[in-house]
Amino acid sequence: MTAAPAERIRPVRASNVVVGVDPVACRPAADPDARAWHHRIRRAVFVEEQAVFDGSDVDAHDARDDVVHVLATHDGRPAGTVRLYPTGVSGEWLGDRLAVLPEFRTAGIGGPLVRFAVETAGARDGIRMLAHVQLPNERFFHRLGWRTAGPVETYVGHPHVPMTTPLTSPMTEWLTGPRQGAPTRT
């Protein structure tokens, strides 16, 4: 392979993009400060902005030991949340309370939150995940590989569409190893 003549190489304008560093980080909200941000974001979106809940969106699931509260940050600033937990049906998890603060909605927070929830549930022996998705977000979930699982339903008093996705993936197997008794990938 021959090198391009020097006169054909043009300088590129500098940009503010840092290559290889993702400004979005998702993690379980395990410490009190992260948990407080998780709930602040949910309140800001579901109570104050959308009026889905009156006063508080906190419910009995929030007190369960098996619930994973997730906090997403953008350049270190709290930006979004999701909550996930097993439903009680073997291998089935529910993802809910996906919320992104308005000022971060164009920063690509939702996709990493959903993918983090899916991988987290899969790493905890989940087989499939369900979600009740607000109608305007159905296409977003389709782009993430989810499928619609039924007709529009009323969930927390508002129209939502049930959606589902399988939880086994190469990433899950990389994190936890293959499931016992599961067929191996070739």
Side-chain angles (χ1 to χ4, degrees):
M1 188 167 140
T2 59
E7 64 271 13
R8 294 192 66 203
I9 299 173
R10 290 176 279 204
V12 177
R13 228 177 333 144
S15 71
N16 289 330
V17 175
V18 179
V19 176
V21 177
D22 191 345
V24 179
C26 298
R27 64 182 171 92
D31 63 85
D33 188 48
R35 184 68 61 89
W37 271 109
H38 173 91
H39 287 292
R40 271 187 221 128
I41 292 169
R42 284 175 33 186
R43 179 178 174 74
V45 172
F46 296 121
V47 176
E48 297 167 11
E49 177 189 348
Q50 297 181 0
V52 173
F53 299 97
D54 185 27
S56 175
D57 77 314
V58 174
D59 62 18
H61 295 296
D62 288 302
R64 292 172 42 178
D65 291 335
D66 58 353
V67 172
V68 181
H69 296 86
V70 179
L71 178 66
T73 58
H74 184 274
D75 286 333
R77 295 172 44 213
T81 67
V82 69
R83 177 178 78 171
L84 58 140
Y85 52 89
T87 66
V89 174
S90 181
E92 186 176 86
W93 282 69
L94 182 71
D96 70 358
R97 303 299 201 271
L98 176 66
V100 175
L101 292 171
E103 61 268 31
F104 293 101
R105 290 195 182 139
T106 60
I109 307 294
L113 273 168
V114 172
R115 286 189 292 272
F116 185 88
V118 166
E119 293 301 333
T120 299
R124 294 175 184 218
D125 292 329
I127 296 170
R128 76 179 186 136
M129 182 173 254
L130 307 173
H132 303 278
V133 176
Q134 293 178 359
L135 298 180
N137 298 323
E138 183 177 14
R139 185 184 319 207
F140 167 75
F141 275 79
H142 283 160
R143 286 193 307 260
L144 292 173
W146 289 61
R147 67 176 179 78
T148 301
V152 173
E153 61 189 13
T154 300
Y155 181 71
V156 296
H158 297 273
H160 285 70
V161 62
M163 301 195 76
T164 188
T165 192
L167 294 177
T168 54
S169 72
M171 177 60 82
T172 303
E173 290 182 4
W174 178 80
L175 288 169
T176 63
R179 297 176 195 277
Q180 290 186 340
T184 56
R185 295 178 189 266
T186 55

